[in-house]
Amino acid sequence: MSEYKNFEYDFIKRTIHILESYEGIYDVTSLINNCVGLLVLPKELLNEKLPLEILNDSEKIFGIKRQNIKFIKLENESLKFENYDEYNIRNVVTHMRNAISHGHIKQESIVSGEIESLHFEDWLNNKNTFEAILSVNEFKEFAVLIAKEVLKSETRR
């Protein structure tokens, strides 16, 4: 087992490789499992490197649109910045991280026995703070693009 030279970034790179090279019938399970390296770890260890772009209805940003988010609230006042909008990517990643880490994921639609989309929820003090529905492809694209964006901040050694 090879060592990590720069744990946070190496773990993200390895996770992307694992996800992109997986060929099997458990693709959604693999995707959700790999979100530890694609969303959870980046949010926890490299939060300031997460993008601040604002989702809108006209174009995909990191693979998703504003319509994918059914409900969103600010997670924490200390995360607010000038010109803050709840639909910024960093806030979305925070809520997605929480939904994944707390197991608040449901299959949303199934066509011919295949999972088509996933429903994510985040709760704080028994109050819903976030809901999103993403197709499996949108979710995969979102997670990988976020991870790749964070990797751009890696300082070369």
Side-chain angles (χ1 to χ4, degrees), residues 8 18 27 31 40 46 53 71 74 84 90 94 98 102 114 144 152:
E8 294 91 337
I18 290 167
D27 54 335
L31 173 59
V40 175
L46 300 163
E53 283 90 342
F71 177 73
L74 175 62
Y84 181 85
R90 189 176 293 172
T94 296
N98 294 347
H102 298 284
E114 298 290 317
V144 169
K152 290 178 185 178

Side-chain angles (χ1 to χ4, degrees), residues 39 43 69 71-76 79 84 86-102 104-105 120-124 127-132 142:
L39 295 175
K43 192 286 176 204
I69 311 303
F71 177 73
I72 191 166
K73 289 182 76 173
L74 175 62
E75 177 71 15
N76 182 331
L79 300 175
Y84 181 85
E86 272 103 1
Y87 288 86
N88 76 78
I89 294 294
R90 189 176 293 172
N91 192 33
V92 172
V93 169
T94 296
H95 285 289
M96 293 292 284
R97 172 258 179 244
N98 294 347
I100 293 162
S101 296
H102 298 284
H104 295 213
I105 306 169
F120 300 85
E121 291 184 351
D122 186 16
W123 294 78
L124 181 63
K127 292 183 182 173
N128 189 340
T129 59
F130 176 80
E131 282 188 46
F142 174 75

Side-chain angles (χ1 to χ4, degrees), residues 28-109:
V28 175
T29 302
S30 174
L31 173 59
I32 293 168
N33 280 324
N34 282 299
C35 280
V36 169
L38 301 175
L39 295 175
V40 175
L41 189 137
K43 192 286 176 204
E44 292 303 310
L45 300 178
L46 300 163
N47 188 58
E48 72 284 351
K49 307 297 184 192
L50 291 170
L52 294 173
E53 283 90 342
I54 309 296
L55 290 175
N56 63 60
D57 292 330
S58 61
E59 64 180 310
K60 284 189 171 191
I61 298 175
F62 294 98
I64 63 174
K65 289 184 175 183
R66 193 175 186 126
Q67 297 102 300
N68 291 109
I69 311 303
K70 305 306 175 197
F71 177 73
I72 191 166
K73 289 182 76 173
L74 175 62
E75 177 71 15
N76 182 331
E77 281 294 321
S78 68
L79 300 175
K80 214 168 188 176
F81 53 87
E82 190 175 332
N83 300 321
Y84 181 85
D85 185 305
E86 272 103 1
Y87 288 86
N88 76 78
I89 294 294
R90 189 176 293 172
N91 192 33
V92 172
V93 169
T94 296
H95 285 289
M96 293 292 284
R97 172 258 179 244
N98 294 347
I100 293 162
S101 296
H102 298 284
H104 295 213
I105 306 169
K106 296 182 251 179
Q107 55 192 22
E108 181 66 18
S109 65

